[in-house]
Amino acid sequence: MIHQPTKNCNNSKSIVIIGNGVAGITCARNIRKSCNAPITVISAETDHHFSRTALMYIYMGHMRYEDTKPYEDSFWKKNRINLLNRFVTHIDSAKKQISFSNGEYLNYEILVLALGSKPNKFGWPGQDLKGVQGLYSYQDLQLIEENTKQVKHAVVVGGGLIGVEMVEMLKSRNISVTFLVREKNFWNIVLPAEEAKIIENHINEHHVDLRLDTELREIISDENGRVKAILTSKGDVINCEFVGLTVGVSPNIDFVKGSKINTDRGILVDEHFETNIKDIYAIGDCAQFINPINGRRPIEQVWYTGRMHGETLAHALAKCEKIAYNPGHWFNSAKFFDIEYQTYGDVPSKLPENLSSFYWEHARGQICLRIVFEKSSQKFVGLNVLGIRMRHVILDKWLTEERSIEYVIENLSLANFDPEFCEKHEKEIRITFNNNQFNITKGI
């Protein structure tokens, strides 16, 4: 669809966006909806935008790469968004010029940095051996295809969401896996102990060698420069032909550090995504807020926040009308093998003194609900759920309205988003809460 510009449209300045992930592409699309400015999107990863969260399903054979592209290849030309496959090496903000690895350069009037992330490495001996890698980019997917041919045993290091995804990927090809997690409970910087235990049990049920409270010390090479084993912090040597490094990601800003753009862990921005350099903005995984908003983290590397970054900045660039980024209440979702996980609002892994929580778990495990609330006011402040699908719009509304925990319990069925004929648990949850209400609300 071709969009006509609005009256006060900033349609004379050329806009260059580096990065074709969700943040950069959302920004480009939303600019085009109301502005005729020349737009160029640059990426050295792929010619076209694709869904990064679907990489694991390509490897597992559930999808093809073509299936992960939300828009037809012809969409970009029809909407006058120029796509350029280049690797950017330098930004000259004084000349308003970016340089490419092939010696070419491109001038810009407005520059948007949507550079994404890169897998972390922490200087382990052997971390650059053949058969050792992370998983973030399309190139990483191609590499893991090559690196896992004829592999019988793999080690995955790092107990976050990417780690679980990689374990599931490898298991889908009948590769046995040892999973190293340095914390004493799985993902315990995010999950309370009960939820962590459910996920630990579920991982073990899938015949994964889960080793908690264990760190990587060294990756050992064979005579050909390929991994043949690893050494753990407990002195164990584990033979393997592949090592997946999934210990989080960090902003992909190495080439920016040589410019005049201010950086810390990420590219420093204000609430309007403006950097310290006029007409240069940063969004998505690479952006770091100087003053984090509403108590949120300064860097939030989540799909939906990247999308919101793109929408917010596009409004300002297309309509010449600044609006401050306001992400609203925190939420996230993930999948641990067969268990779906959702979180809304504030659910600390360890409760501070002013908060309490009600926790319910199904007798067979794998399904649970935790509601966090303020002790003094009984105000609902957050929810974790495993194995039950919930409606985001309802829970977000209750958080905004500052509903009480009693209200949430009584109306929980309104938030249920499970398909028809699924087992319902609201009655049991309500009975459990009512039977223990005095102790729960007093935080005992």
Side-chain angles (χ1 to χ4, degrees):
M1 179 179 179
I2 306 301
H3 298 281
Q4 297 301 317
T6 56
K7 184 177 180 180
N8 67 344
C9 176
N10 184 11
N11 65 355
S12 62
K13 291 186 176 181
S14 63
I15 300 171
V16 173
I17 300 171
I18 304 177
N20 71 348
V22 64
I25 291 300
T26 300
C27 187
R29 287 183 56 251
N30 280 272
I31 290 171
R32 179 57 73 235
K33 285 179 182 179
S34 54
C35 179
N36 273 334
I39 302 172
T40 298
V41 177
I42 303 168
S43 174
E45 182 179 11
T46 54
D47 290 335
H48 300 96
H49 170 61
F50 70 98
S51 176
R52 192 173 305 283
T53 56
L55 285 176
M56 66 179 293
Y57 300 111
I58 300 174
Y59 182 88
M60 295 168 69
H62 299 168
M63 302 178 75
R64 301 168 303 167
Y65 169 68
E66 292 75 14
D67 302 324
T68 70
K69 293 190 287 186
Y71 311 102
E72 294 181 352
D73 292 352
S74 59
F75 171 89
W76 310 103
K77 185 176 181 180
K78 288 179 181 177
N79 284 275
R80 292 165 287 112
I81 297 173
N82 181 40
L83 304 181
L84 194 59
N85 192 318
R86 295 288 188 278
F87 187 86
V88 179
T89 57
H90 181 68
I91 298 171
D92 188 331
S93 56
K95 292 183 178 180
K96 286 198 165 184
Q97 189 176 91
I98 56 177
S99 301
F100 303 123
S101 58
N102 65 358
E104 296 175 353
Y105 64 88
L106 178 70
N107 293 320
Y108 67 86
E109 292 180 278
I110 294 173
L111 180 63
V112 179
L113 303 175
L115 308 178
S117 296
K118 61 180 180 179
N120 286 332
K121 290 184 177 181
F122 292 106
W124 296 289
Q127 67 181 20
D128 296 318
L129 291 172
K130 296 175 184 177
V132 181
Q133 67 167 99
L135 180 63
Y136 179 83
S137 67
Y138 182 69
Q139 284 73 24
D140 291 332
L141 175 66
Q142 294 175 310
L143 185 60
I144 197 172
E145 285 281 2
E146 184 63 30
N147 277 337
T148 56
K149 287 180 180 178
Q150 299 180 332
V151 165
K152 295 182 179 179
H153 190 79
V155 172
V156 174
V157 182
L161 299 179
I162 300 175
V164 171
E165 288 182 357
M166 186 178 283
V167 170
E168 185 174 358
M169 289 166 61
L170 296 167
K171 292 293 293 182
S172 75
R173 298 199 178 182
N174 297 316
I175 298 171
S176 65
V177 182
T178 296
F179 194 11
L180 303 187
V181 178
R182 69 175 181 177
E183 293 83 14
K184 293 183 179 179
N185 298 104
F186 183 82
W187 208 25
N188 69 1
I189 60 171
V190 174
L191 294 178
E194 291 86 354
E195 288 94 311
K197 190 64 179 177
I198 288 177
I199 301 304
E200 290 165 22
N201 291 339
H202 190 58
I203 291 171
N204 284 318
E205 287 169 2
H206 280 80
H207 308 290
V208 176
D209 177 21
L210 176 61
R211 302 197 186 190
L212 300 171
D213 194 24
T214 306
E215 297 186 55
L216 175 66
R217 282 288 180 262
E218 181 183 353
I219 304 171
I220 302 168
S221 175
D222 67 9
E223 63 277 8
N224 299 314
R226 184 181 177 90
V227 57
K228 71 171 184 179
I230 62 117
L231 175 67
T232 76
S233 57
K234 296 186 175 179
D236 297 322
V237 175
I238 301 171
N239 294 326
C240 59
E241 302 88 27
F242 175 81
V243 175
L245 301 178
T246 62
V247 286
V249 294
S250 54
N252 183 30
I253 63 167
D254 288 348
F255 80 90
V256 180
K257 292 178 180 179
S259 71
K260 295 182 179 179
I261 302 168
N262 287 345
T263 63
D264 181 33
R265 288 178 53 227
I267 299 170
L268 294 172
V269 298
D270 64 11
E271 69 273 21
H272 304 292
F273 303 104
E274 295 178 342
T275 69
N276 63 303
I277 305 295
K278 180 177 171 55
D279 293 330
I280 297 183
Y281 304 82
I283 56 176
D285 285 11
C286 70
Q288 178 179 343
F289 289 103
I290 298 169
N291 297 305
I293 300 163
N294 299 332
R296 307 273 290 238
R297 294 179 180 178
I299 301 174
E300 290 186 337
Q301 293 155 325
V302 183
W303 183 90
Y304 87 88
T305 58
R307 186 198 68 211
M308 292 178 72
H309 289 191
E311 292 170 344
T312 304
L313 180 58
H315 181 93
L317 296 181
K319 299 186 177 182
C320 301
E321 179 185 13
K322 285 185 181 182
I323 55 173
Y325 174 60
N326 181 12
H329 303 293
W330 169 257
F331 74 94
N332 200 7
S333 63
K335 192 166 175 283
F336 302 97
F337 283 91
D338 309 309
I339 299 179
E340 294 187 29
Y341 158 73
Q342 292 176 279
T343 185
Y344 299 89
D346 185 16
V347 186
S349 58
K350 293 179 175 57
L351 291 175
E353 184 60 31
N354 65 313
L355 298 181
S356 187
S357 73
F358 162 68
Y359 178 78
W360 169 86
E361 183 177 319
H362 195 278
R364 65 171 179 267
Q366 299 193 6
I367 302 173
C368 73
L369 173 79
R370 180 184 301 277
I371 302 174
V372 179
F373 58 96
E374 290 184 353
K375 286 182 182 178
S376 58
S377 66
Q378 307 292 293
K379 182 178 75 173
F380 166 53
V381 298
L383 177 147
N384 273 357
V385 62
L386 295 177
I388 305 172
R389 293 180 182 177
M390 307 296 272
R391 296 181 187 274
H392 172 260
V393 65
I394 296 293
L395 292 170
D396 190 73
K397 182 171 181 284
W398 290 348
L399 287 166
T400 299
E401 293 172 346
E402 298 186 347
R403 294 293 188 176
S404 68
I405 181 174
E406 288 87 353
Y407 180 91
V408 173
I409 292 291
E410 288 301 317
N411 294 277
L412 203 55
S413 60
L414 299 177
N416 190 298
F417 194 52
D418 273 333
E420 189 178 7
F421 305 124
C422 280
E423 182 181 4
K424 305 299 182 183
H425 307 285
E426 289 81 13
K427 182 177 180 181
E428 182 181 342
I429 292 169
R430 188 165 56 250
I431 290 171
T432 303
F433 177 81
N434 290 336
N435 288 343
N436 297 276
Q437 186 170 5
F438 177 80
N439 290 340
I440 292 167
T441 55
K442 297 301 180 183
I444 299 174

mmCIF file of all heavy atoms in Angstrom, residues 3 28 35 38 51 82-83 106 116 134 170 177 192 213 258 292 304 339 369-370 407:
data_model
loop_
_atom_site.group_PDB
_atom_site.id
_atom_site.type_symbol
_atom_site.label_atom_id
_atom_site.label_comp_id
_atom_site.label_asym_id
_atom_site.label_seq_id
_atom_site.Cartn_x
_atom_site.Cartn_y
_atom_site.Cartn_z
ATOM 1 N N HIS A 3 1.323 5.104 0.924
ATOM 2 C CA HIS A 3 0.734 6.051 1.864
ATOM 3 C C HIS A 3 1.047 7.479 1.453
ATOM 4 O O HIS A 3 2.149 7.786 0.986
ATOM 5 C CB HIS A 3 1.265 5.794 3.275
ATOM 6 C CG HIS A 3 0.920 4.435 3.791
ATOM 7 N ND1 HIS A 3 -0.302 4.122 4.297
ATOM 8 C CD2 HIS A 3 1.654 3.287 3.854
ATOM 9 C CE1 HIS A 3 -0.335 2.857 4.679
ATOM 10 N NE2 HIS A 3 0.850 2.329 4.400
ATOM 11 N N ALA A 28 10.893 2.050 9.903
ATOM 12 C CA ALA A 28 10.775 2.354 8.470
ATOM 13 C C ALA A 28 9.322 2.287 8.005
ATOM 14 O O ALA A 28 8.838 3.186 7.296
ATOM 15 C CB ALA A 28 11.636 1.377 7.670
ATOM 16 N N CYS A 35 4.679 9.596 5.667
ATOM 17 C CA CYS A 35 5.750 10.471 5.210
ATOM 18 C C CYS A 35 6.386 9.924 3.940
ATOM 19 O O CYS A 35 6.574 8.707 3.808
ATOM 20 C CB CYS A 35 6.797 10.598 6.315
ATOM 21 S SG CYS A 35 8.206 11.608 5.900
ATOM 22 N N PRO A 38 12.765 9.885 1.663
ATOM 23 C CA PRO A 38 13.567 8.755 1.177
ATOM 24 C C PRO A 38 14.060 7.919 2.361
ATOM 25 O O PRO A 38 14.615 8.451 3.314
ATOM 26 C CB PRO A 38 14.741 9.439 0.469
ATOM 27 C CG PRO A 38 14.274 10.839 0.182
ATOM 28 C CD PRO A 38 13.345 11.194 1.299
ATOM 29 N N SER A 51 11.752 -12.958 10.976
ATOM 30 C CA SER A 51 11.458 -13.076 12.402
ATOM 31 C C SER A 51 12.594 -13.813 13.100
ATOM 32 O O SER A 51 12.743 -15.030 12.944
ATOM 33 C CB SER A 51 10.133 -13.818 12.620
ATOM 34 O OG SER A 51 9.885 -14.014 13.997
ATOM 35 N N ASN A 82 14.163 1.503 0.345
ATOM 36 C CA ASN A 82 15.334 0.949 -0.325
ATOM 37 C C ASN A 82 16.108 0.049 0.631
ATOM 38 O O ASN A 82 16.468 0.461 1.739
ATOM 39 C CB ASN A 82 16.230 2.101 -0.804
ATOM 40 C CG ASN A 82 17.462 1.596 -1.528
ATOM 41 O OD1 ASN A 82 17.390 0.638 -2.300
ATOM 42 N ND2 ASN A 82 18.604 2.225 -1.267
ATOM 43 N N LEU A 83 16.367 -1.184 0.216
ATOM 44 C CA LEU A 83 17.116 -2.138 1.030
ATOM 45 C C LEU A 83 18.528 -2.261 0.486
ATOM 46 O O LEU A 83 18.730 -2.435 -0.722
ATOM 47 C CB LEU A 83 16.440 -3.512 1.029
ATOM 48 C CG LEU A 83 14.981 -3.564 1.489
ATOM 49 C CD1 LEU A 83 14.480 -5.007 1.441
ATOM 50 C CD2 LEU A 83 14.820 -3.000 2.887
ATOM 51 N N LEU A 106 27.875 6.342 2.101
ATOM 52 C CA LEU A 106 26.516 6.830 1.877
ATOM 53 C C LEU A 106 26.277 8.039 2.771
ATOM 54 O O LEU A 106 26.593 8.001 3.967
ATOM 55 C CB LEU A 106 25.494 5.731 2.189
ATOM 56 C CG LEU A 106 24.014 6.105 2.043
ATOM 57 C CD1 LEU A 106 23.667 6.302 0.559
ATOM 58 C CD2 LEU A 106 23.129 5.012 2.643
ATOM 59 N N GLY A 116 20.936 -3.992 17.003
ATOM 60 C CA GLY A 116 20.695 -5.291 17.607
ATOM 61 C C GLY A 116 21.752 -5.698 18.621
ATOM 62 O O GLY A 116 22.451 -4.857 19.192
ATOM 63 N N GLY A 134 27.583 -18.990 19.438
ATOM 64 C CA GLY A 134 26.324 -18.534 20.015
ATOM 65 C C GLY A 134 25.224 -18.663 18.988
ATOM 66 O O GLY A 134 25.403 -19.242 17.904
ATOM 67 N N LEU A 170 18.880 -28.884 19.668
ATOM 68 C CA LEU A 170 19.802 -30.011 19.572
ATOM 69 C C LEU A 170 19.102 -31.330 19.857
ATOM 70 O O LEU A 170 19.339 -32.339 19.178
ATOM 71 C CB LEU A 170 20.971 -29.801 20.534
ATOM 72 C CG LEU A 170 21.862 -28.576 20.221
ATOM 73 C CD1 LEU A 170 22.790 -28.277 21.391
ATOM 74 C CD2 LEU A 170 22.659 -28.798 18.943
ATOM 75 N N VAL A 177 22.624 -33.738 25.302
ATOM 76 C CA VAL A 177 23.053 -32.402 25.720
ATOM 77 C C VAL A 177 23.344 -32.359 27.212
ATOM 78 O O VAL A 177 22.558 -32.850 28.025
ATOM 79 C CB VAL A 177 21.974 -31.343 25.399
ATOM 80 C CG1 VAL A 177 22.463 -29.944 25.803
ATOM 81 C CG2 VAL A 177 21.605 -31.355 23.920
ATOM 82 N N PRO A 192 11.215 -16.948 40.578
ATOM 83 C CA PRO A 192 11.214 -17.413 41.961
ATOM 84 C C PRO A 192 11.498 -18.911 42.025
ATOM 85 O O PRO A 192 11.389 -19.625 41.016
ATOM 86 C CB PRO A 192 9.784 -17.089 42.432
ATOM 87 C CG PRO A 192 9.319 -15.992 41.535
ATOM 88 C CD PRO A 192 9.950 -16.291 40.204
ATOM 89 N N ASP A 213 24.567 -24.805 39.315
ATOM 90 C CA ASP A 213 25.709 -24.359 40.132
ATOM 91 C C ASP A 213 27.028 -24.820 39.518
ATOM 92 O O ASP A 213 27.963 -25.197 40.213
ATOM 93 C CB ASP A 213 25.553 -24.888 41.566
ATOM 94 C CG ASP A 213 26.490 -24.204 42.551
ATOM 95 O OD1 ASP A 213 26.905 -23.059 42.267
ATOM 96 O OD2 ASP A 213 26.815 -24.816 43.585
ATOM 97 N N GLY A 258 34.139 3.924 17.914
ATOM 98 C CA GLY A 258 35.163 4.759 17.309
ATOM 99 C C GLY A 258 34.642 6.085 16.787
ATOM 100 O O GLY A 258 35.389 6.864 16.205
ATOM 101 N N PRO A 292 16.558 5.499 32.878
ATOM 102 C CA PRO A 292 15.577 4.429 32.639
ATOM 103 C C PRO A 292 14.164 4.875 33.012
ATOM 104 O O PRO A 292 13.958 5.600 33.981
ATOM 105 C CB PRO A 292 16.069 3.292 33.539
ATOM 106 C CG PRO A 292 17.534 3.537 33.670
ATOM 107 C CD PRO A 292 17.691 5.031 33.690
ATOM 108 N N TYR A 304 9.060 -7.042 21.807
ATOM 109 C CA TYR A 304 7.989 -6.041 21.804
ATOM 110 C C TYR A 304 8.494 -4.649 22.128
ATOM 111 O O TYR A 304 7.947 -3.649 21.632
ATOM 112 C CB TYR A 304 6.847 -6.449 22.740
ATOM 113 C CG TYR A 304 6.990 -6.022 24.188
ATOM 114 C CD1 TYR A 304 6.521 -4.781 24.613
ATOM 115 C CD2 TYR A 304 7.580 -6.849 25.126
ATOM 116 C CE1 TYR A 304 6.638 -4.393 25.940
ATOM 117 C CE2 TYR A 304 7.706 -6.469 26.440
ATOM 118 C CZ TYR A 304 7.223 -5.244 26.851
ATOM 119 O OH TYR A 304 7.346 -4.860 28.156
ATOM 120 N N ILE A 339 6.309 -26.167 28.088
ATOM 121 C CA ILE A 339 5.658 -25.293 29.070
ATOM 122 C C ILE A 339 5.726 -23.843 28.615
ATOM 123 O O ILE A 339 6.819 -23.299 28.406
ATOM 124 C CB ILE A 339 6.308 -25.427 30.460
ATOM 125 C CG1 ILE A 339 6.168 -26.868 30.985
ATOM 126 C CG2 ILE A 339 5.665 -24.455 31.445
ATOM 127 C CD1 ILE A 339 6.802 -27.073 32.349
ATOM 128 N N LEU A 369 0.622 -20.619 39.075
ATOM 129 C CA LEU A 369 0.261 -19.210 39.013
ATOM 130 C C LEU A 369 0.804 -18.514 40.249
ATOM 131 O O LEU A 369 0.686 -19.030 41.358
ATOM 132 C CB LEU A 369 -1.258 -19.054 38.973
ATOM 133 C CG LEU A 369 -1.815 -17.629 39.072
ATOM 134 C CD1 LEU A 369 -1.707 -16.924 37.724
ATOM 135 C CD2 LEU A 369 -3.257 -17.635 39.539
ATOM 136 N N ARG A 370 1.434 -17.352 40.053
ATOM 137 C CA ARG A 370 1.885 -16.532 41.173
ATOM 138 C C ARG A 370 1.369 -15.118 40.968
ATOM 139 O O ARG A 370 1.549 -14.527 39.899
ATOM 140 C CB ARG A 370 3.415 -16.506 41.258
ATOM 141 C CG ARG A 370 3.934 -15.648 42.436
ATOM 142 C CD ARG A 370 5.456 -15.563 42.447
ATOM 143 N NE ARG A 370 6.063 -16.870 42.553
ATOM 144 C CZ ARG A 370 6.246 -17.524 43.705
ATOM 145 N NH1 ARG A 370 5.867 -16.957 44.846
ATOM 146 N NH2 ARG A 370 6.811 -18.712 43.713
ATOM 147 N N TYR A 407 -9.710 -8.967 43.834
ATOM 148 C CA TYR A 407 -10.395 -8.727 42.557
ATOM 149 C C TYR A 407 -9.814 -9.620 41.465
ATOM 150 O O TYR A 407 -10.554 -10.217 40.674
ATOM 151 C CB TYR A 407 -10.255 -7.257 42.163
ATOM 152 C CG TYR A 407 -10.937 -6.916 40.855
ATOM 153 C CD1 TYR A 407 -12.256 -6.479 40.831
ATOM 154 C CD2 TYR A 407 -10.266 -7.054 39.626
ATOM 155 C CE1 TYR A 407 -12.891 -6.175 39.628
ATOM 156 C CE2 TYR A 407 -10.891 -6.769 38.428
ATOM 157 C CZ TYR A 407 -12.203 -6.324 38.437
ATOM 158 O OH TYR A 407 -12.836 -6.046 37.253
#
